[in-house]
Structure formats: C-alpha cells, structure tokens
Amino acid sequence: MPLPSSDSSGLPPPASRLSPPAGGSADIALRCENLHRYLGQGEGRVHVLRGVSFEARRGNVTAIVGPSGCGKSTTLYLLGLLDQPDDGSIWIRDQLMSNSSDLDRTAARGEHIGFVFQFHFLMQEFSALDNVMMPMRKLGQLTEEEMAARAASLLSDVGLGDKTHRLATQLSGGEQQRVAIARALANQPAIILADEPTGNLDAKNSGIVFDLLTRLAKENGQAVVLVTHNPDIANRCDEIKPMRDGQFVT
Amino acid sequence: MSTNLRIALRFLTARKRSMLMSLSGIVFGVGFFIVTQAQTSGFEEFFVKTILGTNGAIRIEDKIQATMFPMIATGAHFESKFEVAAAREARKYVEGVEEPDVMMDALRRFRNVSGVSIVVEGSVVADSSFKNDTAKVYGIRLDDHLAVSDLAAQVSRGSGSLENFRTTPQGVLMGQELANRLQLVVGDSLILRAGTEQRRYRLAGIYASGVRDIDRVRIFMHLGEARSLLKKTTGASFIQVALFDRNRAPQDAEQMEQVLKHGAQSWQEREVSWLEAFHALQISAALTVSTIILISGLGMFNTLAMIVIEKTKEIAILRSMGYTRQDIARIFIWLGTIVLVLGTMGGWALGASVTYGVSKYPIHLRGIFSADNFQVHWSIWHYVVGTLSAAVVVMTAAIIPARRAARLEPGDIIRGTSQ
Ligand SMILES: Nc1ncnc2c1ncn2[C@@H]1O[C@H](COP(=O)(O)OP(=O)(O)OP(=O)(O)O)[C@@H](O)[C@H]1O
Ligand SMILES: [Mg+2]
C-alpha cells in the first residue's frame, strides 16, 4: 500500500486522499497498486489478477504482452474504470479512483480515458462519424460543427476519410476497429487504453494505427497502454510489460 | 436535440415492428377512450337539456307545514344538528303553492334565476270524436313558460304554432303521442272533462318533446282557462324555475326551501336515477377502453425490455464513454415518451375524427329524449384524461426497463457475464 508522503501538514491525510508516492507524479497519468480481481461465482471463482502494480507515463506507449487468458483485458478494464478491483488502488492523474462513486468514475471515463475494446464495439445504428462524435457529445465542450470537423479529421487520420457516413454495419472488421480507435481519441483523453487495437488489421493498417497512437503520445503527451500479441508492435513501444497468470513478470 | 434523445430515436428503429404495434395500441386506446366519453357524455348532456327544457331546473311545490314544530316557526335556535334533522324528518307538507305571485317575485330576486312560471295542474279526460283518454292539463302564462322551457322548439318540431295558441283563448297545445291516440290534428276541436266541468277547446298546436311520458299526457292551456276548468281559482300546483347556471341548482333549491318555506327540488335530485345510470355507463366505458391502453402498455414494456437486452453492448459502450446511469435511463424514458407523444397525438386525431363522424350518424331515438343522430359532447377533459391514463401506463412500462438498463455494469457486459 502507498504511504502518505507529500502532505505539508505533516499529518497523515485521510485514506481517500492518499496520493501516490513522491517522485515525478506530474508525468504519471495512471497508476495502480496491488490490484486483485476474482471472477466467477462459487466453485468457478478464479483469482484472475494477483497483485498487479503499474504506472503509465505521459508521452509513453506501453505494451502489455502475455499468453491468452493471463489477465490482460481484465487489467485494462480495471484501469479504464469499467470494472472494480477486489483489492488495490487506482489513481488517475493523482486522483484515487478505485473507491470513488459510480458518477465520479463515469465522469473520469468520459474526460480522461479513451478505450478501445478487444472486440471492436461500435454503436450499430450509427454512422462512423456519429460513433466518433458520441463521446464529444457527452462531454459537450464543442459545437456541433466543431465536433463533426474533429470527428472527420480523426477518421481520416485512421484512413477512413472517405467512409465517414457509412453505418457501422457497413464497415469491415478492420474498419470498425479503426473507427473505435478514432472514437477513443475523440475527447483527447490523457490516457488511451487499447485492447489489441491492431488485432484485426493488415500490416499496413497496423502500421498506420500504431504510428498514430505513438505520434499522439509524443505530441499531446498522452499515455498509451496497449495489449498486443504482435511482437513487432510490442518492440516498437517505449516499454514492454510481460504478464503471466495475473501478474507482471520482469 | 439532446444526445440521449438522438440515441433513443435510433434505438427506436431497432424494433420498428413491435414499436409500431405498441404505438397503434396507444392510438386506438386513446382514440376510443375519447370517442366513448364523447358519446356517453353527449347523450347525458342531451338528456339534461331535455329535462331542463321540459320540467325546468327547479320545481317549487308544496308549502312546508310549520305548525308541527313551533320552534321552527318562532325561529328559535336549534341545540344541535340532530334536532334540525329531526325537524326535517317530521316535516309536513301542504299541497301546492298558496300565493304564487308573491312567490314569483321572491324567486326573481335570486341572482341565478332566469325565469319563473306558475303552473296549475289537474287531471282531465280528453274526448275527441273518435276516442277518449286521460290526460293532464297544465295551465300556464305562455310567455312565462317559454322562459322556463323549450316549448317553442318543441312546437316547431310538431305542428301548428304558438301564435295560434296565444291568440286563441280556447286553444290548447297537446303532445304528439296524445294527439295521435286521439287522432286529432291542428284545428280540430276536443272536449276536456274535469269532475263535473266539461268544456270545448281547439287544438292550436302539437308539440314533440321526445319524452314519451310527457308527449302522451300533457295538455297546455291558458292559466285562466285552467283555473275555471279545474276549479282552482287561487294558488298554483307548482312553480317551474329556470336558472342561468344549472349546476348551482341543488344549492339554490336548498336556499329557496329555507327562504320560501316551500319544497324545492333541483333537476339533479329529481332525475338522480337516470343521471346515475349515465354516470355508471360513462365509467364502465372508460374502464373497458382503458384495457386497450393497458394491453398496449404491456406490449410496450415487452418491447423495451427486449431492446435493453439487445442493446446491452451499446449500453456498455456508452457507459465507457462517460454516459452516466441516468443518461442510460433517460434514453429508455425517451423511447417511452416518443411512443406516448406520437400515440396520444394519433389518438386525439382518431378520437376527434371518429367523434365527428359518429355525430353525423343518423339514429332515431324517442323515449327519454328525441334525437335524430348520435349525440356527442366535445370536452377537452376527455382528451386530458385519455392522455393521462396513457401517460401513466406508458411511463410505468418505460421506467422498469429503463432502471434495469441503468443498473447494468459495463465491466460485466464487456466480459459477457451480465445476466
Ligand atoms: N466470468 C468469468 N468467470 C471466471 N473466469 C473468468 C471470467 N471471465 C474471464 N475469466 C478468466 O479470467 C482470465 C483472464 O481473462 P482476460 O480476458 O483478462 O484474458 P486476456 O489476457 O485478455 O486473454 P486474451 O489474450 O485471450 O484476450 C482468463 O483465464 C479467463 O478464463
Ligand atoms: Mg483479452
């Protein structure tokens, strides 16, 4: 567990205000300590995550690699505040989120986190453009025209500039994957979590998507965490975190 | 347009057919609700108009005998409500109104009174050259009585004319049924017998009120004639009163009883059994038709629950992008609202057009009133109540799936473990 440290009062701050250990917290976008997660009920209850600790820095691209079923997606869901750990803590930009209310976690998801699911989830009845505009609409910081322009530019960044008005159902698997990536970038989140973003893509498009994510990390100082089975992609990341049986191994 | 509404509109298209079914259910439910209410209240309204046009809003008759309880006469105060009630129970009446003209002046001083007419009533036997039959003579002052009834319209629906009656001292007005039984037409003469008295009259007009019990017995004649025929030289059998605001009749009657010391009966009290029958009919029609709304509400519930299951993935995506539980609930509430708004507007249109169509449909009704087409009453309240019942049903049907959708955990859905 992290210890209180940087409080000027000298008194231990209340548990919910625990800040991460001192030292360069400014460029740490996301941190977790000793995450545990059990899944399943009764007999089938499995200890999936066994003490995961991790931090993602701004401007850095981190790859999580490991065999199927080792807990990569589970970790990402916890970090993306879509699921709650059974034990351990998560900080988003120095704010402890693992114990906070559903409303706070939802707001943090909308503002600070862009998520790309392993199985490209798009809203079926909506066009590519609408899908990308969806998070912006919730955040409500741009006008309709600004949102549309930004969504169109993101779609052309992932190579779909000519298919902005296609319905999700009229796109191929790889195209849907790229729309999902554009959508994750929509609100310029500080943290981008991508679960096998290049899983469905050919070498060329994998390259395009990966380059885009790297460029964003460098240019905007976003922290990118991605799960991949592709060694080429992993090797081009700033950091590789191998995982086995619900733990990072070094 | 709100984002939640935008999403709801797209979700709506996901189950077009079952949504259309629920929608048409609401349209028919609200529409038929309006039509049945317009009809039942239309006939009730017509009935009320008929009784006001024949027997008036209030009838003053029978002097209250005050001598039984000297307390009342001397105006002594009552110790308790019970004593008042006891006095009322023990009340005795003396038939008729003794000083009708004094009474008339007193009645005209009530603000809500629009007309007063003295009536001298008595039983007679009417002889035509073919037949004879019993009847009731109503001695009236024509202009007074026109102010408290629809006699003018009733004569114009029959034959002859009021002018003819007015200018003929021996003239009488007879109901259509009685004239038919006696095989009399306007201009014929007839003999009326009361006790030992026997006089010849001329049929100046035939009226048709549509109320069988009136059209087969009442014969109107001039007041003076009636007094001599019936040998009632003073007094009146009753006084018929018309009001500006008919709904105040019970209160007015109550007040008249107290002030005038005569029994006063409002039309609501007089026709209570008919009015209750109309009321029961109206409520039963409302309940019957509301089942259509209820059933389409169940269909609606089913459809929305299905959409929640179908759209769990979408719900998880929305939640992952920062949409709150409340947003998710609102999307489904919007779905309900859209169906409700379209459904009630369609229902209004259907209700209004069927009501209009029905009002033109010819029927021939005689007995308690005379109607030649379906009676409808246009009231905004039928629309309001129809809409409210649809709103309650549809919103209940929407809220349950909406809450269920809002409770879904995005993590569970994405892992595929949500139930
Ligand atoms: N509902 C559940 N009940 C029990 N065990 C579960 C449940 N869901 C997932 N698991 C287990 O949790 C473990 C981790 O799953 P996770 O999806 O995180 O793996 P992963 O590393 O992402 O694998 P992949 O590379 O195949 O995507 C797996 O062993 C899986 O069997
Ligand atoms: Mg996975």
Side-chain angles (χ1 to χ4, degrees):
Chain A
M1 286 298 289
L3 291 168
S5 56
S6 60
D7 209 309
S8 55
S9 68
L11 288 167
S16 65
R17 291 279 170 77
L18 284 181
S19 40
S25 71
D27 59 87
I28 292 178
L30 168 69
R31 246 177 56 75
C32 68
E33 280 269 342
N34 197 31
L35 292 181
H36 286 265
R37 185 72 173 107
Y38 298 82
L39 288 174
Q41 307 281 315
E43 294 273 297
R45 195 165 156 88
V46 185
H47 196 174
V48 176
L49 294 188
R50 303 155 177 266
V52 169
S53 301
F54 175 78
E55 55 187 47
R57 291 169 183 281
R58 292 166 183 277
N60 252 27
V61 181
T62 311
I64 298 176
V65 296
S68 179
C70 70
K72 304 183 295 296
S73 295
T74 308
T75 305
L76 232 50
Y77 298 150
L78 290 179
L79 296 179
L81 307 180
L82 291 166
D83 194 12
Q84 281 184 287
D86 294 305
D87 193 13
S89 318
I90 300 165
W91 290 265
I92 305 278
R93 302 166 109 217
D94 287 357
Q95 198 112 30
L96 182 70
M97 297 306 296
S98 37
N99 293 335
S100 59
S101 71
D102 182 76
L103 216 56
D104 288 342
R105 286 186 292 126
T106 304
R109 282 201 295 268
E111 239 174 301
H112 305 308
I113 299 170
F115 210 104
V116 182
F117 296 100
Q118 182 169 9
F119 307 102
H120 42 80
F121 283 156
L122 293 187
M123 305 276 288
Q124 292 301 311
E125 283 89 8
F126 293 81
S127 69
L129 198 73
D130 277 334
N131 264 285
V132 179
M133 286 167 77
M134 204 74 79
M136 304 188 220
R137 287 217 162 97
K138 179 58 199 172
L139 200 60
Q141 286 175 349
L142 302 177
T143 66
E144 183 78 16
E145 290 73 34
E146 289 168 334
M147 289 192 281
R150 176 164 169 74
S153 108
L154 283 168
L155 283 170
S156 69
D157 283 349
V158 295
L160 290 173
D162 53 341
K163 292 181 177 168
T164 52
H165 290 286
R166 290 273 190 91
L167 286 182
T169 44
Q170 298 165 339
L171 294 170
S172 77
E175 287 168 337
Q176 293 188 37
Q177 183 84 311
R178 283 183 279 160
V179 175
I181 290 162
R183 186 180 64 193
L185 303 175
N187 285 344
Q188 281 193 285
I191 302 147
I192 296 163
L193 303 170
D195 200 347
E196 299 194 40
T198 59
N200 282 313
L201 303 182
D202 56 24
K204 178 174 160 255
N205 278 307
S206 296
I208 292 175
V209 163
F210 184 75
D211 289 344
L212 175 68
L213 290 173
T214 331
R215 200 185 81 222
L216 288 168
K218 302 303 167 202
E219 283 175 7
N220 304 340
Q222 286 164 305
V224 178
V225 179
L226 55 85
V227 169
T228 184
H229 285 294
N230 182 338
D232 290 341
I233 298 273
N235 285 327
R236 289 168 62 192
C237 292
D238 299 311
E239 198 181 346
I240 301 179
K241 300 282 284 181
M243 179 176 259
R244 200 140 292 153
D245 292 333
Q247 272 174 321
F248 284 123
V249 289
T250 30
Chain B
M1 196 193 324
S2 100
T3 308
N4 295 339
L5 171 57
R6 190 189 298 267
I7 296 168
L9 282 171
R10 297 294 172 86
F11 279 10
L12 201 60
T13 59
R15 285 208 154 259
K16 260 187 231 138
R17 202 145 17 117
S18 37
M19 273 297 179
L20 273 177
M21 294 287 277
S22 315
L23 183 68
S24 40
I26 305 292
V27 169
F28 281 113
V30 173
F32 288 154
F33 184 92
I34 290 167
V35 172
T36 52
Q37 293 306 296
Q39 275 180 37
T40 47
S41 62
F43 278 110
E44 179 180 356
E45 176 66 25
F46 197 71
F47 171 75
V48 170
K49 277 205 180 115
T50 303
I51 61 176
L52 291 180
T54 51
N55 289 333
I58 293 179
R59 182 180 280 205
I60 309 284
E61 54 193 344
D62 302 345
K63 190 172 163 51
I64 296 168
Q65 174 75 275
T67 48
M68 283 274 297
F69 281 83
M71 262 198 324
I72 305 171
T74 55
H77 69 281
F78 295 104
E79 291 300 320
S80 71
K81 278 212 170 100
F82 173 76
E83 265 177 272
V84 179
R88 198 180 247 279
E89 287 287 296
R91 212 181 245 177
K92 278 218 163 172
Y93 292 96
V94 178
E95 206 183 298
V97 181
E98 273 172 19
E99 288 179 275
D101 288 304
V102 177
M103 198 73 94
M104 243 174 111
D105 285 340
L107 281 167
R108 285 196 209 278
R109 276 199 283 274
F110 281 82
R111 296 189 91 182
N112 196 23
V113 169
S114 64
V116 184
S117 173
I118 295 172
V119 179
V120 171
E121 183 195 25
S123 297
V124 295
V125 176
D127 288 330
S128 69
S129 30
F130 306 98
K131 285 186 175 164
N132 62 23
D133 207 341
T134 55
K136 272 200 166 154
V137 157
Y138 275 53
I140 55 168
R141 290 184 188 124
L142 181 62
D143 289 316
D144 284 350
H145 207 73
L146 289 178
V148 299
S149 71
D150 283 339
L151 193 57
Q154 290 159 14
V155 171
S156 66
R157 243 184 281 140
S159 54
S161 78
L162 280 179
E163 274 324 296
N164 198 354
F165 174 68
R166 192 193 301 277
T167 53
T168 316
Q170 303 294 311
V172 294
L173 295 172
M174 184 179 281
Q176 200 160 41
E177 298 238 351
L178 185 59
N180 286 346
R181 285 161 78 107
L182 296 174
Q183 296 180 11
L184 291 171
V185 294
V186 172
D188 287 352
S189 70
L190 66 152
I191 291 168
L192 297 180
R193 288 182 282 137
T196 56
E197 201 69 32
Q198 172 167 339
R199 287 169 180 236
R200 180 169 291 274
Y201 295 93
R202 186 162 298 279
L203 187 56
I206 294 175
Y207 67 85
S209 71
V211 186
R212 177 163 293 124
D213 289 346
I214 292 175
D215 289 354
R216 65 187 290 179
V217 294
R218 283 189 198 172
I219 298 173
F220 290 98
M221 67 171 61
H222 296 287
L223 186 61
E225 251 331 297
R227 287 200 190 286
S228 24
L229 175 65
L230 301 171
K231 297 215 169 75
K232 291 184 179 172
T233 46
T234 59
S237 306
F238 62 87
I239 298 178
Q240 187 161 322
V241 180
L243 299 179
F244 290 111
D245 177 4
R246 69 188 198 194
N247 295 324
R248 285 202 38 195
Q251 295 95 301
D252 284 337
E254 181 87 11
Q255 213 181 342
M256 287 170 185
E257 255 186 30
Q258 278 172 16
V259 174
L260 307 173
K261 307 284 182 238
H262 277 71
Q265 212 181 18
S266 65
W267 60 272
Q268 290 96 328
E269 199 182 337
R270 212 165 55 213
E271 307 290 348
V272 65
S273 48
W274 274 111
L275 292 173
E276 269 172 7
F278 275 112
H279 215 73
L281 202 65
Q282 194 168 9
I283 288 172
S284 100
L287 290 180
T288 309
V289 174
S290 293
T291 54
I292 302 178
I293 298 177
L294 200 68
I295 288 166
S296 41
L298 288 177
M300 175 88 196
F301 174 81
N302 222 8
T303 310
L304 286 177
M306 219 119 75
I307 292 180
V308 171
I309 291 167
E310 243 168 51
K311 296 292 176 195
T312 46
K313 257 170 125 190
E314 267 86 353
I315 292 166
I317 299 168
L318 287 168
R319 297 280 282 125
S320 80
M321 294 187 304
Y323 286 77
T324 61
R325 290 187 194 282
Q326 200 181 38
D327 287 323
I328 304 299
R330 278 186 186 156
I331 289 170
F332 286 89
I333 298 292
W334 267 124
L335 282 175
T337 310
I338 294 166
V339 172
L340 175 67
V341 168
L342 294 180
T344 49
M345 286 191 338
W348 293 345
L350 180 72
S353 43
V354 174
T355 302
Y356 180 79
V358 153
S359 74
K360 298 290 169 227
Y361 186 80
I363 48 161
H364 186 77
L365 277 183
R366 297 291 182 274
I368 59 167
F369 46 57
S370 158
D372 294 316
N373 44 16
F374 256 86
Q375 295 302 312
V376 298
H377 176 58
W378 296 89
S379 164
I380 186 75
W381 288 107
H382 303 153
Y383 295 75
V384 171
V385 175
T387 303
L388 282 181
S389 47
V392 169
V393 169
V394 172
M395 283 303 142
T396 313
I399 280 167
I400 299 164
R403 290 172 60 121
R404 192 182 142 79
R407 270 204 304 273
L408 289 171
E409 283 292 342
D412 293 345
I413 298 169
I414 292 157
R415 262 199 316 275
T417 53
S418 84
Q419 62 285 37

